[in-house]
Amino acid sequence: MPILLNQPFGKFRKLLRIESYLRQESIELKPYLEFLEESFINNTLSPIEIISLFVILYQYSRIKDKPFQRNPSHKTLNLTTYKNIPLEFDFLYTKLNPNINNIPQFLNNYSFRYLPTSIREVLLLNFIEEEKLILKTDIPTSKEMLSMQAKGKRYITIDFSKAIAGNLVDDKRDAFEFVLHDLEHAYCFFKKENEYEKQILFYKSIQTNYHLLEPLTKENTQFKEDLEYCISDMNSHPDHLLNYLKAILIKYFLWKNNKQPDGRLTESELIPLNEIIFFINSPFIIIASQKQ
């Protein structure tokens, strides 16, 4: 949980709770969480339905006054493939317009109080364009996330065991915040302004050329951490991704050549760095040449 001066901060701060609260909350939510976990194991609900119900459940639990607000988005949805909202989530039926029967309809008509619109948007997107969000019950490695992003998809982790116990995931975030964090990254991955297709190209290129980067990760722990962040927890415009990669490579080669962080590399010292950047950047160079 992000904390500053003993207060939560960030986009989700109004929905964050201290650890002692989580334990009590988990007792109340346990039947719902066990139902969602069983639905995942038995494949009786789709991943996007489970993820959406998980967010809806915690939103309802933590915001007592008007957790959902009428706010139609008017997106065109194919509703025939989705089941009715499970009876296990009976609390929703008292809140819904009688014409709303399933989860995409709910998301199309209700927004979440205190949550950024990006969360609702990425959930709705994945009802329109299915199978972009892959549900996982443990935290993927950076290389697992890289592989998934190279396919144009992202993992969303729901740690049911930690949620049911009211414990933090990875000693940092509660299970709800962890899902929101994943969904926010997915939104940045998929959104039009960040050139989704070029992001995929970047991750594919990193995957293809990982053999050039892996030796560096074994030599320098900081570079390893920086690269893992780049390939698994950083979704942005591809120009930004490439600039970040170049920056961490410069930092590595300054260290490699025993220079200060504000130092400069000589032309000969830049050769291995430029070779790596050339191979990573080559798919973009090919695309640019094809457009000329």
Side-chain angles (χ1 to χ4, degrees):
M1 179 190 302
I3 295 290
L4 181 65
L5 300 177
N6 295 320
Q7 294 295 324
F9 70 95
K11 287 187 175 183
F12 312 126
R13 62 187 178 279
K14 292 189 177 181
L15 293 111
L16 305 185
R17 301 293 183 267
I18 59 175
E19 286 188 65
S20 58
Y21 178 96
L22 302 181
R23 306 270 160 59
Q24 183 59 42
E25 179 187 53
S26 67
I27 296 171
E28 298 172 6
L29 299 189
K30 183 179 179 181
Y32 302 102
L33 294 169
E34 288 179 336
F35 167 76
L36 291 178
E37 183 177 29
E38 185 177 335
S39 299
F40 173 68
I41 293 169
N42 297 329
N43 199 30
T44 52
L45 289 173
S46 68
I48 185 58
E49 288 174 303
I50 294 170
I51 295 165
S52 298
L53 283 171
F54 185 88
V55 173
I56 289 168
L57 174 64
Y58 275 92
Q59 175 74 11
Y60 182 77
S61 171
R62 296 196 179 175
I63 305 300
K64 304 303 182 186
D65 182 27
K66 299 178 181 177
F68 314 114
Q69 298 172 312
R70 286 281 291 174
N71 185 16
S73 70
H74 306 297
K75 289 190 182 293
T76 302
L77 300 168
N78 178 8
L79 304 175
T80 58
T81 59
Y82 296 104
K83 304 178 182 66
N84 286 349
I85 293 171
L87 291 174
E88 285 77 2
F89 280 69
D90 55 353
F91 64 84
L92 280 179
Y93 286 97
T94 64
K95 302 287 180 182
L96 298 183
N97 178 310
N99 295 322
I100 294 174
N101 299 310
N102 56 41
I103 300 159
Q105 279 183 309
F106 175 82
L107 293 171
N108 214 19
N109 284 272
Y110 290 91
S111 61
F112 300 106
R113 192 177 186 191
Y114 301 135
L115 270 183
T117 56
S118 53
I119 301 300
R120 181 190 183 204
E121 286 292 315
V122 75
L123 292 174
L124 275 170
L125 172 67
N126 281 272
F127 277 103
I128 298 168
E129 301 177 31
E130 295 180 47
E131 297 183 0
K132 283 191 174 183
L133 295 180
I134 309 301
L135 181 55
K136 209 174 187 320
T137 57
D138 61 343
I139 302 172
T141 66
S142 59
K143 289 185 75 172
E144 284 177 328
M145 187 65 87
L146 172 65
S147 175
M148 193 56 62
Q149 293 190 128
K151 299 173 185 174
K153 305 177 182 183
R154 263 193 73 94
Y155 284 118
I156 303 295
T157 295
I158 298 181
D159 191 325
F160 287 109
S161 62
K162 294 290 176 65
I164 290 168
N167 293 331
L168 296 178
V169 179
D170 202 26
D171 297 322
K172 285 191 270 187
R173 298 180 173 95
D174 68 66
F176 180 40
E177 186 189 358
F178 207 93
V179 168
L180 295 179
H181 174 82
D182 276 354
L183 288 171
E184 186 72 15
H185 276 287
Y187 174 78
C188 292
F189 185 31
F190 302 139
K191 78 174 184 176
K192 184 178 179 180
E193 296 87 341
N194 283 347
E195 298 196 46
Y196 168 64
E197 297 295 338
K198 286 187 179 179
Q199 281 194 73
I200 295 172
L201 197 62
F202 173 81
Y203 295 120
K204 281 183 177 178
S205 187
I206 292 286
Q207 192 174 40
T208 300
N209 295 289
Y210 195 80
H211 63 284
L212 300 175
L213 299 164
E214 191 166 29
L216 282 57
T217 67
K218 293 178 179 178
E219 290 184 7
N220 185 284
T221 303
Q222 185 59 57
F223 180 78
K224 181 177 184 290
E225 291 176 3
D226 291 342
L227 181 63
E228 286 181 348
Y229 173 72
C230 180
I231 64 177
S232 66
D233 209 22
M234 181 183 183
N235 295 99
S236 185
H237 191 279
D239 289 347
H240 184 203
L241 294 171
L242 284 164
N243 287 334
Y244 175 83
L245 179 65
K246 186 174 182 179
I248 66 174
L249 282 167
I250 290 171
K251 185 164 68 171
Y252 166 82
F253 280 104
L254 285 169
W255 167 84
K256 179 78 170 175
N257 289 283
N258 298 310
K259 295 192 173 184
Q260 294 298 315
D262 59 351
R264 293 179 66 87
L265 295 168
T266 66
E267 286 190 17
S268 62
E269 291 166 345
L270 281 168
I271 290 172
L273 185 154
N274 288 335
E275 285 179 348
I276 294 172
I277 290 296
F278 173 79
F279 283 109
I280 299 294
N281 203 29
S282 57
F284 297 95
I285 295 170
I286 293 168
I287 287 176
S289 66
Q290 290 172 343
K291 290 182 178 179
Q292 290 177 356

